[in-house]
């Protein structure tokens, strides 16, 4: 396997590995083992969030890894229960404390709260201050639509470096990708191999296993790679960052073994054509502390 990893340059000059390791839905008890395996296999970007409940374990795995902190990219997110200026500062400091780090490489607002957008803006402005203070090397957002980005950019100084959004062959989020290209924002895919569809009823529109789609499995056969590797390659070949999640050591290794082949333009287009336009995750337009009352415990 070629180990040289693709890197992406963010709009503030920071270079990050394009492929990162995701821990959404990874129970705290499994997180140290999963992140330890991932770092040993060569992952250098680890994505977590205050709301995942496993920042402590991510930090512990990082410390145990023996890999220099400067070589690792730690990304976490502020949950909406901590939006607003005062709460955002508390939430940010709590994430640093749980992770046990002096700084994070990438700090994201986890969701827009369109109905309470002043709180979203105030939280982002705290993140901007964290960059000035050297506590975050880059900041960005997650699950923002082009309209949310426009509303944010009217009020803040720092253009988000990253927008992390649901993006896989069944939901290619083309309008968001287009807005990012215009604004100089890196598209980072959550659920990059379509795992989110596991949480949908099997008969729901747009559901189904991306990894069993014949377009994907035919390409896997052609290249002698797995379906997941083909989908991850599609992300990388189109210039995106992708964050596959796994707790399984062989799948963790499989998902980073993607740097020895590339898809052809027509193959990339064939995967694009699988888009159903239906997201598996929640509609960001509906998100706020009333529709999602879960609150992060920062004590
Ligand atoms: P597991 O953690 O047991 O490996 P996504 O990141 O797109 O949300 O996908 C994550 C889901 O896909 C998880 O259920 C994960 O399960 C599974 N998964 C991760 N890597 C692979 C792989 N290479 N092949 C098949 N399934 C995978």
């Amino acid at each position: 396997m070629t180990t040289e990893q693709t890197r992406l340059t963010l709009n503030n000059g920071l270079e990050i590995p394009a492929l990162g390791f995701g821990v959404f839905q990874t129970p705290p008890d499994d997180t140290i083992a999963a992140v330890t395996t991932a770092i040993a296999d060569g992952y250098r970007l680890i994505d977590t969030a205050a709301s995942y409940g496993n920042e402590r374990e991510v930090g512990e795995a990082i410390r145990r890894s023996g890999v220099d902190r400067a070589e690792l990219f730690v990304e976490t997110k502020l949950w909406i229960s901590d939006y607003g200026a005062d709460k955002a500062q508390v939430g940010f400091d709590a994430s640093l404390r749980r992770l046990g780090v002096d700084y994070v490489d990438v700090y994201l607002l986890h969701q827009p709260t369109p109905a309470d957008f002043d709180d979203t803006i105030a939280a982002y402005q705290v993140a901007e201050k964290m960059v000035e203070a050297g506590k975050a090397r880059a900041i960005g957002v997650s699950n923002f639509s082009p309209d949310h980005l426009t509303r944010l950019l009217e009020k803040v100084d720092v253009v988000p470096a990253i927008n992390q959004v649901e993006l896989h062959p069944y939901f290619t989020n083309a309008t968001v990708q287009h807005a990012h290209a215009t604004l100089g924002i890196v598209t980072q895919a959550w659920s990059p191999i379509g795992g989110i569809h596991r949480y949908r009823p099997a008969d729901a529109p747009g559901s189904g296993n991306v990894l069993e789609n014949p377009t994907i499995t035919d390409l896997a056969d052609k290249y002698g790679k797995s379906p997941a590797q083909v989908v991850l390659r599609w992300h990388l070949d189109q210039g995106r960052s992708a964050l596959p999640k796994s707790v399984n050591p062989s799948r963790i290794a499989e998902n980073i073994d993607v740097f020895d082949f590339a898809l052809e333009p027509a193959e990339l287009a064939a995967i694009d054509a699988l888009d159903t336009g239906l997201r598996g995750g929640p509609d960001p337009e509906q998100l706020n502390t009333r529709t999602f009352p879960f609150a992060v415990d920062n004590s």
Side-chain angles (χ1 to χ4, degrees), residues 1-5 19 40-43 225 229 252-260:
M1 150 183 152
T2 309
T3 51
E4 192 179 336
Q5 293 188 34
L19 189 79
D41 286 345
Y43 291 84
K225 303 296 278 188
Q229 289 169 328
I252 293 171
E254 176 186 326
N255 293 345
I256 197 173
D257 183 12
V258 292
F259 296 106
D260 59 354

Side-chain angles (χ1 to χ4, degrees), residues 191-196 198 211 228 244-248 251 254-255:
S191 214
I193 56 174
I196 188 70
R198 285 165 48 111
L211 305 182
K245 170 267 172 187
S246 181
V247 292
N248 176 293
R251 290 194 282 273
E254 176 186 326
N255 293 345

Side-chain angles (χ1 to χ4, degrees), residues 167-172 192 210 216 231 234-235 271-272 274-276:
L167 208 162
H168 46 74
Y170 286 169
F171 189 66
T172 62
V210 169
I216 305 292
V231 175
W234 167 72
H235 288 289
I271 299 177
D272 286 338
L274 300 178
D275 181 38
T276 65

Side-chain angles (χ1 to χ4, degrees), residues 101-113:
V101 295
D102 301 328
Y103 68 93
V104 290
D105 296 274
V106 180
Y107 195 60
L108 306 180
L109 297 197
H110 204 143
Q111 297 279 354
T113 53

